[in-house]
Amino acid sequence: MTDTPTLAELLIVACAEVWRDDPEWLATGITPIPRLGASLAKLTFNPRLMITDAENLFLEEPAPIGPRDGSPVAEGWAPYARTFDNLWGGRRHALVAPVQIDRFGQTNISVIGDHAKPKAALLGARGFPGNSVSHPNSYFIPQHTTRSMVAGEVDHVCSAGYNPARWADGRKPLGLELRRIVTNLCVMDFGGPHNTIRPISLHPGVSIAEVRDNTGFDLAWTDRALPETSLPTAEALTIIRRLDPHNIRATLLKDNPPAVRAG
């Protein structure tokens, strides 16, 4: 394994940043890259975070993903009741991976196409509706294209976003707080006017034109220079490779590209 960081490793570092300033909340990363990001955040700059084994234990230290020898050291039991106490109390920040997101931050994990006769049936809405109005949420989009960052609304609205037309009585849900979107091209947030989506960093070698061409809606952007997304440090790479000893991350992006694109 080389010391040259891969795009997957850069994305893990970018995902970790979503939890940088959180208090003692439950950090939930869905799919391997966000999960590794949550673990990296706890082991480097935010030890306050609560981490689970994705089953029913709070962990003293994040567990590696994939097959492992032995059991992680548990701090406590995390059954559904305790997990939902944190969730409904707003003491959770989830980084989830929808298949579609629109300009309002509404997401879809349910169907592609018309709900009555879909082109593809996926997971169903699952916990997205309640989670979206109970605690902060961020999103991971591994393939940033107009198929995932869609024009109009997502095919089936599974989670609340900044769309007043869908708010009950026109009132913003009390717990609605969307924070960041990490994609294979850039990092974005909801800091534009009226919570519109804006890019805040570009991955090395990516242009703003490429981001805009692959987004189905207009972004809040005013010709400002954008910083590059930070590359993993040597310390971060060591931790990531310890947390993913089977190199599962290398299988998650096509061809496992380097973090810095060739010119």
Side-chain angles (χ1 to χ4, degrees), residues 150-196:
V150 299
E153 282 193 307
V154 293
D155 290 349
H156 184 67
V157 177
C158 295
S159 66
Y162 297 114
N163 182 6
R166 287 192 176 269
W167 294 345
D169 301 321
R171 298 177 183 175
K172 177 185 171 183
L174 184 63
L176 176 63
E177 184 181 347
L178 306 182
R179 293 196 175 174
R180 288 197 177 184
I181 306 170
V182 178
T183 82
N184 62 315
L185 298 180
C186 65
V187 180
M188 298 178 282
D189 68 8
F190 294 84
H194 308 292
N195 301 112
T196 51

Side-chain angles (χ1 to χ4, degrees), residues 24-247:
E24 191 177 356
W25 282 355
L26 179 59
T28 303
I30 303 297
T31 70
I33 285 176
R35 175 173 169 172
L36 288 166
S39 298
L40 180 65
K42 182 173 178 66
L43 289 173
T44 51
F45 52 77
N46 194 346
R48 298 169 297 186
L49 296 173
M50 290 186 287
I51 297 288
T52 74
D53 64 347
E55 293 182 8
N56 62 357
L57 296 173
F58 290 118
L59 299 185
E60 179 178 305
E61 182 169 308
I65 63 174
R68 58 180 181 260
D69 296 326
S71 299
V73 177
E75 290 183 313
W77 192 32
Y80 274 119
R82 294 190 69 182
T83 298
F84 279 99
D85 281 346
N86 285 301
L87 191 159
W88 289 325
R91 298 184 300 273
R92 182 201 199 206
H93 182 181
L95 177 55
V96 297
V99 296
Q100 291 180 328
I101 187 168
D102 61 28
R103 64 190 178 95
F104 304 110
Q106 298 173 147
T107 63
N108 174 28
I109 57 169
S110 184
V111 298
I112 300 299
D114 185 85
H115 193 269
K117 193 175 182 180
K119 298 176 183 176
L122 306 173
L123 296 174
R126 298 183 71 84
F128 270 40
N131 293 351
S132 67
V133 297
S134 298
H135 57 72
N137 286 273
S138 295
Y139 302 117
F140 175 60
I141 306 290
Q143 294 297 324
H144 186 147
T145 70
T146 53
R147 296 178 64 184
S148 56
M149 311 286 291
V150 299
E153 282 193 307
V154 293
D155 290 349
H156 184 67
V157 177
C158 295
S159 66
Y162 297 114
N163 182 6
R166 287 192 176 269
W167 294 345
D169 301 321
R171 298 177 183 175
K172 177 185 171 183
L174 184 63
L176 176 63
E177 184 181 347
L178 306 182
R179 293 196 175 174
R180 288 197 177 184
I181 306 170
V182 178
T183 82
N184 62 315
L185 298 180
C186 65
V187 180
M188 298 178 282
D189 68 8
F190 294 84
H194 308 292
N195 301 112
T196 51
I197 296 171
R198 64 176 184 176
I200 58 173
S201 73
L202 302 175
H203 302 338
V206 176
S207 69
I208 187 63
E210 183 176 1
V211 171
R212 296 172 80 179
D213 287 347
N214 283 280
T215 305
F217 49 84
D218 290 337
L219 297 167
W221 181 69
T222 55
D223 295 327
R224 67 190 187 281
L226 292 173
E228 281 192 348
T229 308
S230 297
L231 291 169
T233 63
E235 178 193 16
L237 287 175
T238 297
I239 293 171
I240 290 168
R241 292 167 184 178
R242 173 164 59 86
L243 292 170
D244 181 19
H246 307 288
N247 203 19

